[in-house]
């Protein structure tokens, strides 16, 4: 055990690293994990599923600059991370293999619109369930819970955040359209903000000293700190509750229910996905119960 932090009801503890078993059997939907591809799937009353079948595969909105969550290795072309494996698990449950999937990188600010436009069938990418987003789309899940944290330079004297206002007078960077930037802008007017479409841009600014901190979900920040262990650190202190859902088109409660059932009746699969991805960074989080379809 190296250290334990328990805040906002979420226990974060370092745990032993898990071995990742790669599997590439032909009937797998996953690049890293082995998901059984369902056969004879029918989702009566889901226009989104009908479109996927007609097309021959799903178009899934994802992130690709978030290590351990949604990441694209530019050299190998491989996608990896907790959200990617969740996306593949869903695809397999709908009867699609890895080769049938089209991944579409969509930034935080553009997620609802991509679903409203029908550009993607579903979205899996650190997507917090919020009431205002629910006006435009439906969410399956939640499948993960985290909270807002802060990433700073290792040189910083700060070790923890007691209150977000600890950053008053400083410049904090986050992604446009995200819940953390909204929280700062709504509630902490004395904090200066810098926004980009993607968090990796904020991390670059932090590394070059242009901003004092990057704020977003702790689960995301841990991945960036692990990429730059000598330069960056995540501060203790977790704010807000971010419940990750799978975005589906508004009104497609059949698809929403299908994904909820998968999460609820999926046995050990959630844990296996977590252990092979986010769990590698040392955090320990339990699978949350899903929200009932409204
Ligand atoms: N979970 C937060 C949100 O959905 C922050 C992470 C993100 O931007 O994807 O806005």
């Amino acid at each position: 055990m190296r250290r334990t932090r328990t805040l906002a009801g979420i226990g974060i503890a370092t745990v032993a690293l898990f071995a990742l078993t790669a599997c590439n059997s032909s009937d797998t939907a996953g690049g890293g994990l082995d998901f059984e591809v369902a056969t004879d799937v029918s989702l009566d009353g889901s226009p989104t599923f009908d479109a996927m079948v007609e097309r021959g595969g799903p178009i899934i909105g994802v992130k690709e600059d978030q290590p351990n969550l949604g990441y694209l290795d530019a050299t190998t072309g491989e996608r990896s991370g907790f959200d990617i494996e969740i996306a593949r698990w869903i695809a397999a449950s709908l009867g699609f293999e890895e080769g049938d999937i089209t991944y579409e990188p969509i930034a935080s600010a553009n997620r609802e619109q991509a679903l409203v436009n029908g550009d993607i069938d579903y979205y899996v990418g650190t997507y917090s369930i919020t009431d205002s987003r629910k006006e435009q789309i439906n969410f399956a899940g939640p499948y993960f819970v985290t909270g807002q944290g802060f990433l700073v330079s290792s040189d910083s004297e700060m070790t923890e955040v007691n209150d977000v206002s600890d950053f008053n007078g400083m410049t904090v960077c986050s992604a446009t359209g995200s819940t953390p930037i909204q929280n700062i802008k709504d509630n902490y007017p004395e904090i200066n903000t810098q926004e980009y479409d993607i968090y990796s841009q904020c991390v670059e600014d932090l590394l070059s000293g242009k901003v004092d901190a990057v704020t977003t979900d702790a689960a995301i920040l841990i991945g960036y700190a692990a990429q730059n262990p000598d330069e960056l650190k995540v501060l203790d202190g977790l704010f807000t509750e971010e419940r990750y859902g799978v975005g589906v088109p508004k009104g497609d409660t059949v698809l929403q229910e299908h994904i909820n059932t998968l999460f609820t009746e999926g046995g050990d699969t959630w844990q296996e996905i977590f252990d092979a991805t986010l769990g590698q960074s040392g955090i320990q989080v339990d699978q949350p119960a899903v929200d009932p379809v409204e």
Side-chain angles (χ1 to χ4, degrees):
M1 266 309 157
R2 275 172 284 164
R3 70 196 152 138
T4 305
R5 290 171 285 172
T6 307
L7 280 151
I10 300 160
I12 299 185
T14 40
V15 291
L17 294 186
F18 294 86
L20 171 60
T21 12
C23 180
N24 286 314
S25 78
S26 59
D27 64 348
T28 179
L33 289 160
D34 192 6
F35 301 111
E36 201 181 317
V37 178
T39 49
D40 298 327
V41 183
S42 74
L43 262 73
D44 284 343
S46 169
T48 317
F49 179 69
D50 292 346
M52 291 185 228
V53 171
E54 200 170 316
R55 199 189 300 115
I59 303 176
I60 311 175
V62 294
K63 295 284 180 65
E64 55 184 27
D65 71 327
Q66 299 179 178
N68 289 338
L69 280 158
Y71 192 72
L72 173 66
D73 183 323
T75 316
T76 63
E78 263 182 49
R79 292 181 191 271
S80 62
F82 182 70
D83 282 334
I84 297 295
E85 298 298 346
I86 294 281
R88 287 171 169 154
W89 183 28
I90 295 168
S93 78
L94 294 168
F96 299 109
E97 306 199 7
E98 175 67 11
D100 300 330
I101 300 173
T102 304
Y103 296 99
E104 193 64 47
I106 311 264
S108 294
N110 305 328
R111 294 178 285 202
E112 291 84 78
Q113 203 54 52
L115 283 161
V116 169
N117 292 351
D119 296 338
I120 54 174
D121 297 312
Y122 59 94
Y123 189 97
V124 192
T126 62
Y127 201 6
S128 296
I129 300 172
T130 69
D131 287 341
S132 66
R133 289 171 180 167
K134 275 201 258 180
E135 286 170 16
Q136 289 182 273
I137 64 155
N138 284 28
F139 283 102
Y143 62 92
F144 189 75
V145 183
T146 178
Q148 183 174 0
F150 289 84
L151 181 74
V152 297
S153 161
S154 312
D155 297 339
S156 164
E157 281 169 15
M158 294 174 93
T159 55
E160 63 179 330
V161 188
N162 294 309
D163 191 87
V164 176
S165 60
D166 291 357
F167 288 94
N168 281 357
M170 297 191 220
T171 302
V172 166
C173 190
S174 195
T176 304
S178 67
T179 50
I181 194 78
Q182 206 54 49
N183 182 27
I184 303 268
K185 290 203 286 198
D186 288 349
N187 303 311
Y188 302 94
E190 288 171 51
I191 298 177
N192 306 311
T193 52
Q194 170 70 53
E195 289 181 37
Y196 292 109
D197 281 347
I198 52 176
Y199 293 107
S200 45
Q201 196 84 48
C202 285
V203 173
E204 274 178 37
D205 271 16
L206 179 59
L207 287 166
S208 63
K210 286 193 199 134
V211 300
D212 298 298
V214 178
T215 187
T216 186
D217 308 333
I220 302 174
L221 298 176
I222 286 165
Y224 291 128
Q227 269 192 332
N228 305 276
D230 296 334
E231 288 91 16
L232 303 178
K233 64 181 179 187
V234 180
L235 297 175
D236 281 344
L238 217 49
F239 305 89
T240 75
E241 189 181 58
E242 305 298 322
R243 304 163 73 247
Y244 289 174
V246 177
V248 301
K250 179 98 182 147
D252 198 335
T253 50
V254 174
L255 180 59
Q256 181 187 359
E257 193 78 75
H258 170 88
I259 298 170
N260 277 354
T261 305
L262 181 72
F263 290 159
T264 307
E265 296 175 6
D268 294 336
T269 307
W270 184 96
Q271 195 62 50
E272 281 164 16
I273 291 174
F274 180 80
D275 291 348
T277 54
L278 269 180
Q280 299 272 315
S281 64
I283 62 168
Q284 206 174 46
V285 178
D286 292 330
Q287 179 180 8
V290 300
D291 291 338
V293 174
E294 287 163 11

